[in-house]
Amino acid sequence: MEVEQNINLDKADKLKEEANEFFKKQNYVKAITLYSNAIECNPTSAVLYANRSFAYLKTECFGYALEDASKAISLDKTYVKAYYRRAASNMALGKAKLALKDYETVFKARPNDKDAKLKFNECSKIVRQQAFERAIAVDSVKKSVSESINIDSMTVEESYHGPHLVNGKVTSEFMQELMDAYRDQKKLHNKYAFQILLDVEELFKSQPSLIDVSIPDSSKFTVCGDIHGQFYDLMNIFKLNGLPSTENPYLFNGDFVDRGSFSVECIFTLFGFKLLYPEHFFMARGNHESQTMNQMYGFEGEVKSKYSKQMAELFTEVYNWLPLCHCLNQRVLVMHGGLFSRDDITLDDIRTTDRNRQPPEDGIMCELLWSDPQPMKGRSPSKRGVGIQFGPDVTARFLERNHLDYVIRSHEVKADGYEEAHDGKCITVFSAPNYWQVSSFLEYRSQVTCVLFTHKTTKVTADTCSGYQKES
């Protein structure tokens, strides 16, 4: 029996080393598989659970990451990395107070570790800020960030040679100059950046939580998935599929920012086109258009670095007004995440959902932003720790109840950039080809994936620009 255990331990170590190599290459899915195989060989290793927890964090499976980190701690209460992982999981789930306890444990164990101190201090600030906001919310109405901004007091210096708004408005010439400036890694002036945010906030405020979109016969309508701060891939979409216009409408389906290095450039480009073509360019909220995600995955820090804390706060306010989903020709529902924990949800329920807030932990808004499809029937707890996983029967019942043909969603990396599930009734499209920079995604990196919705196409096809074309 002892010989067999040693063989299993040796195999577990070998699998762990293989998994570590895939993790270094950012192939987190393969790493998770190998860590899981290693755990089967050695289920008593806290290191294996903590490593898999880290890989789950990278793939935003926060629920699984939390479970693994807790398991690692139960196996070895002195294993500091496990507390790190659990704290990061709780932060991603918006549970800062729970995260703070673990960051405090790490900081006490490693008082000279700069990163441990930084994480503990950042989390402490967030907890204090949340407590302060709860306190003032009881007795007063918080003044909006937009009300505190005075555009007229901002001066455009003569030394600024970037794009200029014309009478405070976005034009097609401005958008071309803006994209050219961003390609050269130049910056939009502070005054114009604030003007765009204030104007787009007013525009989103005027729109409902569910937007009905009419697409004329023989016209195409392009749906793009996650962009995640990849400006040059965004430019490639426009190069291959054409710039947005009244004749070439787009819907960008959430997660415009975070992870990528050019989130500011992506979001101002998208907001600019929204202002230029308000009836032909659409944007839906993703789970990363939230304060917690932006704090964890880079957007807040990028905005503060390129502009200011005040602008970062304004972005949070603007994101609260992003529509939650779109219905194309009363036939196709497009949302970032997925479907619901109840069968009785209707489109009218979505229309009446209050979205001007941070994403809640459950309910319609949460599930629209966070849920994922699963191959088996029924519903399951989410691998992310938020939302649910829903099966083909759930999709079929929702479509029948609401007289829809299928749903389009994003939210998940797919090796081909898109995936058809649930008998073709649930389509995932993901448009950030360098998201993990995984070697197995090399072929996909040469593509840009989006969806062309048309009336008269006859089959599903894939090419360098379109995820698929779906029969009406």
Side-chain angles (χ1 to χ4, degrees):
M1 190 71 179
E2 185 176 343
V3 174
E4 182 180 349
Q5 186 182 27
N6 288 334
I7 293 173
N8 285 341
L9 290 176
D10 289 343
K11 186 176 180 181
D13 286 339
K14 184 178 179 181
L15 288 166
K16 183 187 78 171
E17 293 307 314
E18 289 182 40
N20 289 347
E21 289 303 312
F22 278 104
F23 188 97
K24 290 176 185 176
K25 296 174 183 176
Q26 300 182 11
N27 191 336
Y28 304 120
V29 174
K30 182 65 175 178
I32 288 168
T33 299
L34 290 168
Y35 286 135
S36 299
N37 293 340
I39 287 169
E40 289 180 9
C41 297
N42 183 15
T44 64
S45 171
V47 173
L48 290 175
Y49 281 102
N51 285 7
R52 191 172 69 174
S53 175
F54 198 15
Y56 276 136
L57 276 169
K58 292 292 188 179
T59 59
E60 298 192 8
C61 296
F62 305 125
Y64 289 174
L66 184 62
E67 287 180 13
D68 273 0
S70 296
K71 178 65 175 178
I73 291 169
S74 71
L75 290 169
D76 184 356
K77 289 182 170 55
T78 66
Y79 190 42
V80 175
K81 282 188 178 180
Y83 290 96
Y84 243 126
R85 306 292 176 250
R86 191 166 71 178
S89 302
N90 275 316
M91 279 297 293
L93 294 169
K95 299 176 181 178
K97 288 184 71 174
L98 291 175
L100 184 60
K101 293 181 181 179
D102 286 334
Y103 279 135
E104 184 177 16
T105 300
V106 173
F107 181 49
K108 286 181 177 178
R110 297 179 176 176
N112 297 321
D113 187 319
K114 291 183 179 179
D115 188 64
K117 183 178 180 180
L118 178 64
K119 292 285 197 303
F120 174 69
N121 288 338
E122 286 179 347
C123 190
S124 297
K125 288 179 183 177
I126 291 170
V127 170
R128 290 196 299 270
Q129 180 183 347
Q130 290 176 347
F132 175 73
E133 289 175 352
R134 285 194 298 270
I136 64 173
V138 174
D139 301 316
S140 63
V141 178
K142 185 179 178 182
K143 185 178 181 180
S144 70
V145 182
S146 57
E147 290 176 324
S148 66
I149 296 169
N150 184 356
I151 291 290
D152 294 334
S153 68
M154 299 179 187
T155 303
V156 180
E157 302 82 4
E158 290 185 7
S159 59
Y160 173 71
H161 299 294
H164 292 259
L165 293 175
V166 179
N167 297 320
K169 300 300 179 183
V170 172
T171 63
S172 57
E173 291 77 15
F174 171 85
M175 288 307 302
Q176 189 60 62
E177 290 177 12
L178 179 66
M179 291 184 288
D180 290 342
Y182 282 158
R183 285 190 187 96
D184 294 335
Q185 298 191 24
K186 295 179 180 178
K187 178 181 166 184
L188 178 65
H189 193 277
N190 187 65
K191 178 173 183 174
Y192 299 141
F194 271 114
Q195 186 69 67
I196 287 173
L197 288 175
L198 294 175
D199 289 349
V200 85
E201 180 181 16
E202 289 305 308
L203 178 55
F204 287 138
K205 279 182 179 180
S206 70
Q207 297 183 322
S209 293
L210 188 158
I211 294 181
D212 290 286
V213 180
S214 295
I215 304 168
D217 289 351
S218 303
S219 298
K220 78 171 184 178
F221 184 91
T222 303
V223 181
C224 295
D226 303 40
I227 297 299
H228 277 298
Q230 296 185 16
F231 175 74
Y232 295 97
D233 290 316
L234 174 60
M235 292 299 97
N236 202 30
I237 290 176
F238 293 153
K239 178 181 178 182
L240 294 170
N241 197 55
L243 286 174
S245 67
T246 55
E247 293 77 30
N248 192 27
Y250 279 86
L251 163 57
F252 280 83
N253 197 30
D255 281 13
F256 321 116
V257 300
D258 282 334
R259 293 190 181 272
S261 302
F262 302 99
S263 292
V264 165
E265 289 76 7
C266 283
I267 195 63
F268 277 122
T269 300
L270 296 174
F271 279 168
F273 277 120
K274 179 61 184 175
L275 291 171
L276 184 59
Y277 303 113
E279 302 301 322
H280 298 88
F281 192 91
F282 302 91
M283 299 174 69
R285 191 173 187 174
N287 64 300
H288 274 265
E289 278 67 62
S290 73
Q291 188 174 32
T292 299
M293 291 290 103
N294 294 165
Q295 288 169 340
M296 280 202 62
Y297 289 99
F299 181 64
E300 182 180 283
E302 184 183 338
V303 176
K304 288 179 178 178
S305 174
K306 294 177 179 177
Y307 288 99
S308 65
K309 178 183 177 183
Q310 184 185 41
M311 185 175 287
E313 292 173 348
L314 181 57
F315 266 111
T316 298
E317 186 173 290
V318 174
Y319 288 160
N320 283 350
W321 286 106
L322 280 164
L324 299 178
C325 55
H326 296 74
C327 191
L328 312 182
N329 281 357
Q330 301 180 326
R331 294 170 41 221
V332 179
L333 191 67
V334 187
M335 79 290 287
H336 179 75
L339 298 181
F340 311 100
S341 54
R342 292 164 33 205
D343 274 343
D344 60 346
I345 301 299
T346 66
L347 298 186
D348 283 340
D349 293 325
I350 299 172
R351 289 188 178 96
T352 57
T353 297
D354 175 21
R355 70 184 189 277
N356 181 25
R357 53 181 170 156
Q358 288 299 291
E361 294 186 9
D362 54 28
I364 289 175
M365 180 175 172
C366 167
E367 290 158 0
L368 283 169
L369 300 182
W370 280 97
S371 291
D372 297 291
Q374 64 180 20
M376 70 286 291
K377 289 184 176 181
R379 295 178 172 90
S380 302
S382 174
K383 60 190 177 184
R384 302 176 188 270
V386 188
I388 63 155
Q389 293 178 190
F390 58 97
D393 55 328
V394 175
T395 299
R397 290 193 296 271
F398 176 80
L399 295 176
E400 182 179 5
R401 182 179 187 89
N402 290 281
H403 310 291
L404 298 168
D405 294 341
Y406 56 99
V407 297
I408 300 172
R409 42 91 61 181
S410 302
H411 196 38
E412 287 184 289
V413 180
K414 298 299 177 183
D416 294 322
Y418 75 101
E419 180 182 82
E420 289 189 80
H422 298 179
D423 300 317
K425 301 298 184 183
C426 180
I427 312 298
T428 298
V429 58
F430 193 92
S431 302
N434 293 294
Y435 187 63
W436 290 336
Q437 298 180 349
V438 181
S439 57
S440 62
F441 289 176
L442 186 59
E443 181 179 352
Y444 168 40
R445 276 210 294 260
S446 67
Q447 303 182 46
V448 173
T449 309
C450 47
V451 172
L452 297 182
F453 174 88
T454 67
H455 283 264
K456 298 181 179 180
T457 51
T458 57
K459 62 181 180 179
V460 173
T461 61
D463 57 38
T464 57
C465 183
S466 62
Y468 69 98
Q469 296 183 341
K470 184 76 175 176
E471 183 179 8
S472 62

